[in-house]
Structure formats: structure tokens, C-alpha cells
Amino acid sequence: MQISTEMVKALREETQAGIMDCRNALLEANGNQRKATEILKKQGLARVQKRSERTAVEGVVESYVHYGGRIGALIEVNCETDFVARTEEFKQLAHDLALQVAASSPLCLTAEEMPKGSLQNPNEACLLLQKSIKDDSKTVQEMVDDVAVKMREKVTVKRFVRFELGG
């Protein structure tokens, strides 16, 4: 199959992947843009997995206070470099996660942290397993993974706290 420069350019704009990565993904997907995007996402997740042993000590602590000041949330989102921590995409992720915590009131970050004997469904109680309030086709963990793939480095949610007036 012939891969045009326009096809590579469109895929690169969508995924932020390198030119040769886009071209190779399009070749593997026989020119199908959607399949090529999935291939690049899998490759990106594999790269992020390789970096999982690295320490992510940069990042931001983001806050969200609901209108009226009755509910608020703080969340720490980490990455490997201060360069990534300063990007708009990383800051937006942190803001969206703080909003998620305020809106959904999770008990814990992961299923491993679920309180023993809890009657709640882990998908509802664990932040990273919840459906995103911004895009219900993804979990919160998938949102984090998407940013990690685009930034090409480890991105993690370290901790959060939620406050509710009178709660």
C-alpha cells in the first residue's frame, strides 16, 4: 500500500508520534488511520511500561474548589521531568483529575488500597478505575496513560484528598 505524506501528517498531528513511527504504523495498518492510531498507542504504552521503574518526582499539586466553596479536592500528579509538568496538557490532566475527585468522591486510588470489608464496588470507589467524567468511554487510568504516551514519560497519580463542608 502507498502511504502518502498527507496520511502521515494527519496521523502525526493526531498522535504527536514521530514521522517514521507514523509511517510504519500506517504500513502495518494498511493505511487505516484508526488502526494505526491503536498501533501507536500500544507502542507508546509499551515504552511507558519500560519506564515504570523510573522515579516520577516532578509534577503538580492541583486543587479544585466547587462553586460556593462546599466541596474541594487536592491531587498530586507526578511525572519524570519539570518540562512535562509545565505543559498545558499535563496541567489539564491534573485539573481534570481534581475535578473527578470532587465530583465522584472516591475512597482510594487503586483496588489494592480498598478498605477491607468495604461493600462498595471497586470501580466506583477507586479513582483510577472510575469512568472519566470528562469522557465516559475511558477510565481515569486510561486518561493518565494517554497523557503518559503523548509525553513519552511516566505519569502517575500519587495521592488525593477530598473535602466537603460538614462532611
Side-chain angles (χ1 to χ4, degrees):
M1 160 143 232
Q2 182 70 21
I3 304 299
S4 70
T5 55
E6 289 80 22
M7 293 168 72
V8 173
K9 182 180 177 186
L11 184 60
R12 188 163 197 270
E13 286 174 3
E14 180 183 341
T15 64
Q16 305 301 310
I19 293 172
M20 290 307 294
D21 290 335
C22 290
R23 184 179 181 283
N24 291 337
L26 284 164
L27 282 170
E28 186 177 332
N30 293 321
N32 184 311
Q33 179 104 4
R34 188 176 50 79
K35 285 183 183 177
T37 301
E38 286 300 314
I39 290 167
L40 288 172
K41 184 175 181 179
K42 286 178 186 172
Q43 289 173 351
L45 286 173
R47 285 186 197 122
V48 169
Q49 292 295 333
K50 288 179 186 175
R51 300 177 85 114
S52 67
E53 307 258 334
R54 291 189 177 185
T55 305
V57 295
E58 295 297 330
V60 296
V61 173
E62 181 66 32
S63 65
Y64 172 79
V65 178
H66 191 64
Y67 179 75
R70 298 192 60 82
I71 297 173
L74 288 172
I75 191 162
E76 180 181 349
V77 184
N78 295 126
C79 57
E80 295 176 49
T81 63
D82 62 339
F83 173 77
V84 167
R86 291 190 308 257
T87 63
E88 284 305 312
E89 189 156 11
F90 186 84
K91 291 177 185 177
Q92 184 64 50
L93 172 68
H95 177 77
D96 291 346
L97 293 174
L99 179 64
Q100 178 88 24
V101 169
S104 63
S105 190
L107 292 177
C108 55
L109 191 60
T110 65
E112 292 79 29
E113 297 174 5
M114 264 305 265
K116 298 260 188 269
S118 175
L119 299 176
Q120 284 196 304
N121 181 341
N123 290 355
E124 296 166 4
C126 302
L127 177 65
L128 295 177
L129 297 177
Q130 292 178 344
K131 292 288 184 188
S132 166
I133 61 172
K134 289 281 192 168
D135 178 358
D136 66 0
S137 71
K138 295 181 179 183
T139 65
V140 171
Q141 182 63 62
E142 290 170 334
M143 284 176 42
V144 172
D145 290 345
D146 286 349
V147 171
V149 167
K150 285 183 183 172
M151 297 295 140
R152 295 182 181 202
E153 71 176 54
K154 183 178 179 180
V155 175
T156 60
V157 180
K158 177 75 172 180
R159 57 189 165 168
F160 67 88
V161 64
R162 182 182 186 272
F163 298 94
E164 186 168 354
L165 193 62

